Amino acid sequence: MHTNPSHVAFNFFLYFVSVPCLKVVLSKALGIGIILGSVMVKLPQIIKLMGAKSAEGLSFKSLLLELLAITGTMAYSIANKFPFSAWGEALFLMLQTVTIGFLIQHYGGRTSKGLLFLAVYFSLLVILLSPFTSMSVVTCMQASNMPAIIIGRLIQAATNYQNGHTGQLSAISVFLLFAGSLARIFTSLQETGDALMALTYVISSACNGIIALQVLYYWNSSLEHKKKKKKKRE
């Protein structure tokens, strides 16, 4: 059977062109999907805290380190003019994380400290995003994300281990964060080409994976703990 050389050449051209295009389309779709999903990632956690009127099992120190990492990613991306689809979820995760931080303080009987936390954080955020902050400071913040994520997640993992349960930690939020950080490894490489961003998400995925495994491991223990607390209230 005779094959037209021009058809073969054209098919090869289509293959090499379509693969990069497919990667771009897939990256954009994933990025938009992650951003849309991020609007509700920590919402189950917020609802769970408000429903229980308790922040038992959640570490405020761990949350502060997570907030540092999220803020660093957001500031670094804005400073480098990365497309919103490459980092947009950081904005929504920041707002939800700040809310959880306030609720931890509020349900711990420290509402005034919670309000101070909000005031200090947003004041520092305005300064960080202003033209007065140099690029070197923002880059250092992004580089510090890796130890911040590792230490923050280890603190939460240690808290879970010491308690023998995951308390008011939301399984839905934990698994969504794990899935989102995994997807971000691909999108950050595709859309920004920034190795520092990609490495941050690799480490974030590993750390979120540890917490996700703990949620599964302590699943029955957490349910028993909640039943015991409910009986005590009754």
Side-chain angles (χ1 to χ4, degrees), residues 145-215:
N145 277 1
M146 285 171 269
I149 291 167
I150 293 168
I151 296 168
R153 284 305 178 190
L154 286 178
I155 290 172
Q156 183 62 61
T159 301
N160 295 339
Y161 178 75
Q162 287 170 0
N163 291 339
H165 58 80
T166 54
Q168 297 303 324
L169 203 62
S170 169
I172 297 171
S173 292
V174 168
F175 291 127
L176 285 174
L177 282 170
F178 177 52
S181 57
L182 277 176
R184 268 297 174 215
I185 297 171
F186 171 72
T187 60
S188 58
L189 285 171
Q190 183 65 34
E191 294 202 38
T192 70
D194 192 289
L196 188 58
M197 283 274 285
L199 184 59
T200 300
Y201 286 117
V202 168
I203 291 169
S204 179
S205 297
C207 293
N208 285 331
I210 291 170
I211 305 298
L213 286 172
Q214 281 191 317
V215 168

Side-chain angles (χ1 to χ4, degrees), residues 68-106:
L68 172 66
I70 292 168
T71 306
T73 296
M74 187 170 68
Y76 182 74
S77 300
I78 291 171
N80 281 287
K81 296 181 171 59
F82 291 151
F84 187 69
S85 58
W87 62 271
E89 81 279 2
L91 172 63
F92 300 107
L93 287 176
M94 177 271 288
L95 292 171
Q96 291 168 80
T97 304
V98 166
T99 303
I100 292 168
F102 171 75
L103 290 175
I104 289 173
Q105 294 293 337
H106 175 64

Side-chain angles (χ1 to χ4, degrees), residues 49 55 58-60 63 100-108 110:
L49 289 175
L58 272 74
S59 168
F60 186 68
L63 181 131
I100 292 168
F102 171 75
L103 290 175
I104 289 173
Q105 294 293 337
H106 175 64
Y107 291 128
R110 302 177 297 273

Side-chain angles (χ1 to χ4, degrees), residues 6-184:
S6 62
H7 285 173
V8 174
F10 183 69
N11 287 335
F12 268 102
F13 172 78
L14 280 179
Y15 174 77
F16 285 115
V17 170
S18 63
V19 170
C21 286
L22 183 63
K23 284 183 179 178
V24 171
V25 171
L26 181 61
S27 178
K28 288 288 182 186
L30 270 175
I32 293 167
I34 292 167
I35 292 168
L36 291 174
S38 70
V39 177
M40 300 182 70
V41 162
K42 293 197 173 189
L43 197 59
Q45 182 67 80
I46 293 169
I47 292 169
K48 194 170 184 179
L49 289 175
M50 293 179 74
K53 290 184 170 36
S54 167
E56 184 188 11
L58 272 74
S59 168
F60 186 68
K61 290 178 184 177
S62 174
L63 181 131
L64 284 178
L65 288 167
E66 184 184 356
L67 188 59
L68 172 66
I70 292 168
T71 306
T73 296
M74 187 170 68
Y76 182 74
S77 300
I78 291 171
N80 281 287
K81 296 181 171 59
F82 291 151
F84 187 69
S85 58
W87 62 271
E89 81 279 2
L91 172 63
F92 300 107
L93 287 176
M94 177 271 288
L95 292 171
Q96 291 168 80
T97 304
V98 166
T99 303
I100 292 168
F102 171 75
L103 290 175
I104 289 173
Q105 294 293 337
H106 175 64
Y107 291 128
R110 302 177 297 273
T111 304
S112 57
K113 284 187 178 179
L115 292 170
L116 180 63
F117 157 68
L118 292 177
V120 171
Y121 174 75
F122 283 111
S123 298
L124 290 173
L125 183 62
V126 169
I127 295 168
L128 183 64
L129 297 177
S130 72
F132 300 106
T133 304
S134 68
M135 187 63 193
S136 59
V137 172
V138 176
T139 304
C140 283
M141 272 197 75
Q142 177 65 14
S144 71
N145 277 1
M146 285 171 269
I149 291 167
I150 293 168
I151 296 168
R153 284 305 178 190
L154 286 178
I155 290 172
Q156 183 62 61
T159 301
N160 295 339
Y161 178 75
Q162 287 170 0
N163 291 339
H165 58 80
T166 54
Q168 297 303 324
L169 203 62
S170 169
I172 297 171
S173 292
V174 168
F175 291 127
L176 285 174
L177 282 170
F178 177 52
S181 57
L182 277 176
R184 268 297 174 215

